[in-house]
Amino acid sequence: MKKWLFMLTFSLLAIMLVACGDDETIETSATSDTDAASSGGSAAEAKTYKFKLGHEAAETHIKFEVAEKFAEELEKNSDGRMKVDIYPANQLGKEADMAQQVESGTLDFAVLSNGTMSSLSESINGWFMPFLFNDLEAAANAASSGPAQQMMKDLETKSMVGYGVFFAGQRHILSSKPLDSLADFKGLKIRIPGSPVLESYYKAIDAGPASMPLPEVYTSLSTGVIDAVDTDLNAAVSQKFYEASNILTMSGHIVFPEVVIGSKKTVDAMTEEDRKIVADTWASVIEWGVHEGIATNDALLEELKSLGVTVNELKNMEEFKQLSESVYDQYSSNPTIKAFIEENK
């Protein structure tokens, strides 16, 4: 009987020791992030993210390339902790819809046109001031200026983080007749992006600007509803506008930035270290996008020439620049736009 009691007691003690051992293993596993912190790391270092990034462009556009580059570089720079799901070609709605999603925090990042962003924040209209820049290199240099940085900071009032801009290109004009002088623009029916600045510019040179959806432009050019289209070279090729109007006037009257934004709600929820990884990655990718955009524009111009497009130059550019002064005056009530004009004129 005593032997039986001894064996029972021994068995119970063994079971309790095993149970205690299991409890200790669970506890150690549950506090592994704390252990990492005590050895020089932090619990936040183990956090992983899957971000959403939206834009409106198809695969042929620089926006698409920049979005893919960001996803690739961010995953590498975060040692695989940060991944990005990309939604191109308006899969999440139009640009205005994506802007609202970023503001509410349901979309983490977006690359949106300056036209959409300038309707949300007045100072971004500074980029649309006509004839401020001779080329895209000059515009890229201006992006690091104080006024340009203030434009990004102004987005905070919309619960957005502005990371910077790159460029779809300068705007030129495709038409079926040469456009050489101011007289050629009188009454010209020209399609423009929806922008009050562009409308003011074309009215200043006595043209007839009209905004319409991009898919309607080709037919409108072909049927004579409009005489010309204000376009960058990418759209001229990808939308095949050159088939309906094959004279390209290289006016370069404005640059057309693409604005990279993030949701403040998303960014604020990250650690300072992770915010820096995202910001640094965007900075390097935006710089890459600027150089890629310049190279792409040069290639697109050569492609248009090979497709039979006649390249034309504006004569007496100074007349156009002088008339642009009225647009500067109209928007200089905004101190950031005024400073931006003064710095780049």
Side-chain angles (χ1 to χ4, degrees):
M1 184 72 175
K2 288 182 180 180
K3 185 176 181 181
W4 181 84
L5 287 173
F6 174 80
M7 292 298 295
L8 178 62
T9 303
F10 180 83
S11 299
L12 289 171
L13 283 171
I15 292 170
M16 289 175 66
L17 286 169
V18 170
C20 288
D22 287 346
D23 286 343
E24 187 175 358
T25 301
I26 292 170
E27 185 179 353
T28 302
S29 175
T31 57
S32 59
D33 287 340
T34 303
D35 294 341
S38 65
S39 63
S42 71
E45 288 174 353
K47 187 170 183 180
T48 60
Y49 304 84
K50 181 168 279 191
F51 298 119
K52 292 169 61 179
L53 189 161
H55 64 84
E56 69 168 351
E59 293 183 15
T60 55
H61 200 276
I62 185 66
K63 284 187 190 181
F64 189 94
E65 296 177 21
V66 165
E68 289 208 316
K69 183 76 170 175
F70 175 68
E72 175 188 329
E73 293 298 312
L74 187 64
E75 184 169 355
K76 182 172 67 177
N77 293 343
S78 65
D79 296 326
R81 292 190 300 109
M82 299 181 185
K83 300 183 186 297
V84 183
D85 288 336
I86 301 172
Y87 298 85
N90 285 337
Q91 289 182 24
L92 300 178
K94 295 181 180 179
E95 284 202 328
D97 299 321
M98 286 186 276
Q100 289 180 350
Q101 291 163 25
V102 171
E103 188 173 359
S104 67
T106 57
L107 178 60
D108 302 303
F109 303 107
V111 182
L112 305 181
S113 71
N114 202 69
T116 295
M117 295 307 298
S118 63
S119 68
L120 298 173
S121 182
E122 182 186 45
S123 64
I124 291 183
N125 278 301
W127 281 109
F128 279 161
M129 295 297 109
F131 297 106
L132 275 189
F133 307 106
N134 291 327
D135 51 39
L136 290 179
E137 287 91 343
N141 291 333
S144 60
S145 68
Q149 293 299 307
Q150 183 60 47
M151 293 178 199
M152 295 297 100
K153 188 172 178 57
D154 289 346
L155 293 173
E156 292 177 7
T157 62
K158 294 293 181 180
S159 297
M160 297 174 180
V161 177
Y163 288 105
V165 301
F166 59 97
F167 306 94
Q170 287 177 282
R171 306 293 291 192
H172 307 290
I173 305 163
L174 265 176
S175 60
S176 54
K177 68 174 186 178
L179 300 171
D180 297 319
S181 65
L182 276 171
D184 296 323
F185 283 84
K186 186 176 179 61
L188 183 78
K189 294 177 291 184
I190 182 167
R191 187 267 179 183
I192 64 170
S195 164
V197 180
L198 277 170
E199 186 174 354
S200 295
Y201 164 67
Y202 277 110
K203 286 182 177 178
I205 63 173
D206 216 13
S211 179
M212 67 175 63
L214 198 64
E216 297 178 15
V217 175
Y218 184 97
T219 302
S220 297
L221 282 171
S222 301
T223 58
V225 173
I226 53 176
D227 305 313
V229 56
D230 179 299
T231 183
D232 59 59
L233 300 184
N234 190 295
V237 172
S238 62
Q239 302 294 322
K240 298 187 176 182
F241 294 152
Y242 61 88
E243 293 181 349
S245 296
N246 65 348
I247 298 178
L248 176 66
T249 300
M250 299 292 289
S251 57
H253 44 287
I254 64 165
V255 296
F256 206 82
E258 305 295 345
V259 185
V260 176
I261 58 173
S263 169
K264 197 169 184 302
K265 184 176 180 180
T266 295
V267 173
D268 286 350
M270 302 171 72
T271 65
E272 184 176 350
E273 181 181 354
D274 284 349
R275 286 196 292 269
K276 188 175 187 307
I277 291 172
V278 170
D280 288 349
T281 302
W282 268 128
S284 65
V285 170
I286 287 169
E287 183 178 0
W288 176 88
V290 167
H291 295 297
E292 189 71 12
I294 291 170
T296 299
N297 266 267
D298 293 342
L300 286 169
L301 181 58
E302 293 306 312
E303 183 176 354
L304 284 166
K305 290 178 181 177
S306 71
L307 290 166
V309 172
T310 299
V311 177
N312 183 55
E313 300 286 343
L314 277 182
K315 295 179 175 63
N316 200 359
M317 188 81 77
E318 285 304 315
E319 286 186 311
F320 292 87
K321 291 181 178 180
Q322 288 171 13
L323 287 171
S324 297
E325 293 285 345
S326 64
V327 182
Y328 299 167
D329 293 341
Q330 183 179 345
Y331 286 88
S332 286
S333 57
N334 182 291
T336 301
I337 294 178
K338 183 179 181 180
F340 192 65
I341 292 170
E342 290 174 349
E343 189 158 318
N344 293 290
K345 268 181 69 174

